[in-house]
Amino acid sequence: MNSAPIWHVPFEEFRKGLAESGTTAHVGMDHGSMWVLLYRPLTEDKQSPHRRDEIYIVDSGTAEFRRDQETVAVSAGDVLFVPAGMDHCFETFSPDFSTWVVFWGPDGGENQRS
């Protein structure tokens, strides 16, 4: 049994969970509508629009991030917001690219402003 509190998860636990999962994402913390995960696309980012608002915090590497018709270059430390339902993805990312993702709120997002 893990005795660590669910409100405190070291980054390394996310990284370990991702490595052990064999997938591109690992949810390391969740509470109600809030999820925190580490995401590392392998060869292509195949995301589709999500039902909830989300924040990306780039952990490592570089990428191009497309949100609707806009594209920006991103690197470690950059923070991105995507409202629920908006098309988005990471493109031309470096081999070491990974990002934290935080989902929260109701389906459809908190409001319609972007």
Side-chain angles (χ1 to χ4, degrees):
M1 181 173 152
N2 185 353
S3 61
I6 60 171
W7 51 266
H8 172 247
V9 182
F11 283 172
E12 194 51 42
E13 289 297 314
F14 283 84
R15 291 184 180 100
K16 180 180 174 186
L18 182 62
E20 291 175 353
S21 75
T23 65
T24 59
H26 171 71
V27 177
M29 179 181 285
D30 65 269
H31 175 78
S33 72
M34 183 271 301
W35 291 359
V36 179
L37 57 108
L38 184 59
Y39 177 58
R40 183 177 299 142
L42 300 175
T43 58
E44 183 180 5
D45 182 1
K46 298 181 181 182
Q47 294 189 75
S48 56
H50 303 289
R51 299 180 322 203
R52 295 181 290 152
D53 293 333
E54 63 186 306
I55 294 283
Y56 290 98
I57 304 165
V58 179
D59 179 49
S60 63
T62 60
E64 298 270 321
F65 182 73
R66 183 180 49 77
R67 188 185 105 141
D68 249 358
Q69 302 303 315
E70 297 180 89
T71 302
V72 295
V74 299
S75 60
D78 287 349
V79 179
L80 307 157
F81 170 71
V82 181
M86 183 175 279
D87 186 43
H88 65 283
C89 69
F90 292 95
E91 300 172 333
T92 61
F93 44 85
S94 62
D96 62 339
F97 178 78
S98 66
T99 186
W100 301 99
V101 187
V102 180
F103 289 99
W104 78 94
D107 283 357
E110 291 192 351
N111 64 44
Q112 297 304 312
R113 290 185 292 163
S114 56

